[in-house]
Amino acid sequence: MDLRYGLNPQQRIAESAPVVPDRWPVRLVNGEPSFINLLDALNAWQLVREAGSALDAPAAASFKHVSPAGAAVAGPLDEVITELYGVDATAGDLTSAYVRARDADPKSSYGDFAAVSHPVDEELADVLSRVICDGIIAPGFEPGTVEKLSRKKKGRFVVIEADDSVALPQREAREVFGVRLTQERDMVPISRELLASAHLELPEAAVRDLLLGLVVLRYTQSNSVAYLHDGMALGIGAGQQSRVDCTRLAGTKADTWWLRRHPVVRALDFAPGLTRQDRINWQVRFIEGDLTPDETERLTAGLSTPATELTAAQRSEWLRERTGLSFVSDGALPFRDNVDHAARHGVSFIAEPGGSIRSTDVEQACREHGIALVHTGLRLFHH
C-alpha cells in the first residue's frame, strides 16, 4: 500500500506491507492514507477492539498523533453533547460511543482519526460526515455508509476496514537508525482479575472505568495517565517525561470537560455563523481564562451578547460537585504528588502497577484522601 507521504511531506516515499505476505489485517476502502493516518488507524483499532471485548460494549476512540484524545464505550448523552453534535439523546450505541469519545477533548479531536468496535451504521456515518475528521477504521460498513463517507474531503476521506480473522505475529519489530528492534507482542488480557488487589469491593462503575483506562493507556504514548468517569476517558495525559506533568495535564482536561457543563459557559451566546469548532475552542479558552488581548477582542466579536464572568468561587464550587472519578497510570506512581493532584480532580479510585520504591508513600496518600488503590502489577508502556 503506497502512502501519501511519510511522517512529513518532504518524506515523499512511504509505503506499508503486511508482515505475512498477502495477509492484510486491514483493507483500504477509500482515500489515500498518510504514514500517520495509518499509525493512528492501527493503534486506534487495537484500542476499540480490546475495549469492546473487555467491557462487552460498543467502543470508540478519537486519535490524534498516535495517542487517543478521547475514548469511550456506549452510554448516555447529556445536553452538551447532543447540542454540539446534533444528535438525539436516544442515539444508537455506536454513535453514542463515538460522540462521547470525541467530546472528551473536542479541541484536540479536530481532524482526528476515528475508530469503532462495530460496523459503521448510517447514523454514525451521518455524524462523521458533519465533523472535521480525517478517517475511520471499523470492522465493517453497512450499505451506503462508505459511499456517504467517500464524499468527504473531496473524496480523500480515509476509510479502512479491519479484518479480525487475520492472526497477528507473536513478535513485532521496528527499525531506528539502522537498528532493528524486536520484541514479543504484549498480549496480557485486560480483565477484572487485574483489579483483584483492591482492599475493598469496587463499584461496578469503577471497575468499568478502570478497565477502560487500562486499555486506553496500552495504546497511548508513555508516560501516560487517564481520568475516567461514566465509561469515558475525560482527560488523557500522554508522552510527558514527568508522570506528574501527565497527571496535571490530564486533570486540567477533565476539569475543562466538567466546566463546559457550567451554566455560565452554557450561556455563552455565540454569533450566528460561528462554526462548531470555533464555539468549542472559545468555550475552552473562556474556561482557561488567560486570554491574550487579541483573543479577548476576537471572543467579544464572536458573541452576540457579552459573556458573564466565571468567577474563581463558581469554578471551585462547581468542581467540588464532581466526585467518583477513576485514575489509571501506565507505570508505577513514583511519588505521592500524583495522588495529591488526582484527588484535586475528584478521583476516588486509582489503578497503577505498584512496586515503586515509594509505594508506601503513595498508599499513605490514598488513605489520607479516601481513595481506593489497586496495584495491577502490569506496566503498559507504549512508544
Side-chain angles (χ1 to χ4, degrees):
M1 185 195 302
D2 290 333
L3 303 175
R4 194 162 73 249
Y5 49 76
L7 291 176
N8 303 288
Q10 66 267 26
Q11 294 168 279
R12 296 182 179 179
I13 300 175
E15 59 186 22
S16 62
V19 174
V20 179
D22 299 322
R23 291 291 290 164
W24 283 90
V26 296
R27 179 175 70 91
L28 181 64
V29 178
N30 187 75
E32 186 181 352
S34 69
F35 197 98
I36 295 176
N37 286 156
L38 199 53
L39 284 176
D40 279 343
L42 297 175
N43 280 284
W45 166 243
Q46 292 180 89
L47 190 161
V48 299
R49 179 187 63 170
E50 192 166 345
S53 175
L55 300 174
D56 192 27
S62 173
F63 256 66
K64 281 291 293 288
H65 295 291
V66 205
S67 282
V73 292
L77 303 179
D78 64 18
E79 290 184 359
V80 172
I81 296 177
T82 57
E83 291 174 5
L84 182 61
Y85 296 103
V87 298
D88 193 81
T90 59
D93 286 348
L94 205 59
T95 294
S96 77
Y98 176 64
V99 294
R100 278 157 53 93
R102 189 179 176 102
D103 191 63
D105 186 0
K107 183 176 73 170
S108 297
S109 285
Y110 181 86
D112 66 335
F113 206 99
V116 290
S117 59
H118 290 60
V120 173
D121 56 22
E122 183 178 353
E123 183 182 54
L124 178 58
D126 179 66
V127 171
L128 290 168
S129 72
R130 294 186 280 106
V131 298
I132 305 300
C133 176
D134 278 358
I136 175 76
I137 184 168
F141 298 86
E142 292 186 0
T145 56
V146 172
E147 180 183 1
K148 186 180 188 70
L149 294 172
S150 64
R151 293 195 290 267
K152 277 180 66 73
K153 301 184 68 175
K154 299 180 180 180
R156 296 193 303 271
F157 186 76
V158 178
V159 179
I160 298 176
E161 184 175 19
D163 184 353
D164 215 16
S165 69
V166 176
L168 298 177
Q170 297 295 308
R171 294 187 178 187
E172 55 189 10
R174 70 174 65 184
E175 295 180 0
V176 180
F177 197 60
V179 176
R180 177 173 294 164
L181 305 170
T182 304
Q183 66 174 355
E184 178 185 7
R185 286 180 56 82
D186 182 6
M187 295 183 290
V188 175
I190 301 297
S191 67
R192 62 175 58 227
E193 281 69 34
L194 294 172
L195 309 179
S197 73
H199 297 302
L200 52 87
E201 186 174 353
L202 298 172
E204 279 302 309
V207 170
R208 174 198 57 196
D209 290 344
L210 292 173
L211 291 178
L212 177 60
L214 291 170
V215 174
V216 166
L217 296 189
R218 175 170 259 172
Y219 302 103
T220 301
Q221 300 300 299
S222 299
N223 284 324
S224 62
V225 306
Y227 291 79
L228 306 104
H229 184 63
D230 196 26
M232 298 177 284
L234 301 182
I236 300 172
Q240 301 301 307
Q241 291 79 7
S242 167
R243 186 165 301 280
V244 73
D245 286 348
C246 283
T247 298
R248 295 170 65 188
L249 172 63
T252 298
K253 291 187 176 188
D255 284 356
T256 298
W257 184 90
W258 182 239
L259 286 166
R260 284 175 53 225
R261 275 102 183 126
H262 194 283
V264 170
V265 179
R266 295 286 311 279
L268 289 174
D269 184 18
F270 292 110
L274 207 64
T275 68
R276 174 192 293 110
Q277 195 62 43
D278 282 339
R279 295 198 305 271
I280 289 170
N281 292 345
W282 283 126
Q283 283 180 339
V284 173
R285 292 298 293 122
F286 178 78
I287 290 168
E288 290 170 341
D290 58 345
L291 277 70
T292 66
D294 174 70
E295 286 178 319
T296 300
E297 182 178 336
R298 289 191 289 121
L299 173 58
T300 300
L303 294 172
S304 295
T305 56
T308 302
E309 181 186 4
L310 178 61
T311 67
Q314 288 174 315
R315 290 169 182 265
S316 297
E317 182 180 0
W318 187 256
L319 291 172
R320 276 197 300 270
E321 295 179 8
R322 180 208 44 190
T323 60
L325 271 67
S326 293
F327 175 93
V328 180
S329 173
D330 68 346
L333 297 180
F335 305 103
R336 67 165 290 159
D337 54 359
N338 288 275
V339 178
D340 294 331
H341 283 290
R344 292 178 173 179
H345 302 288
V347 167
S348 300
F349 311 94
I350 290 180
E352 54 111 358
S356 76
I357 59 175
R358 291 183 172 86
S359 279
T360 54
D361 294 343
V362 171
E363 293 166 6
Q364 176 60 30
C366 286
R367 284 192 291 270
E368 291 174 13
H369 293 293
I371 294 174
L373 175 64
V374 180
H375 287 152
T376 65
L378 179 68
R379 195 174 79 174
L380 293 167
F381 282 0
H382 182 67
H383 291 281

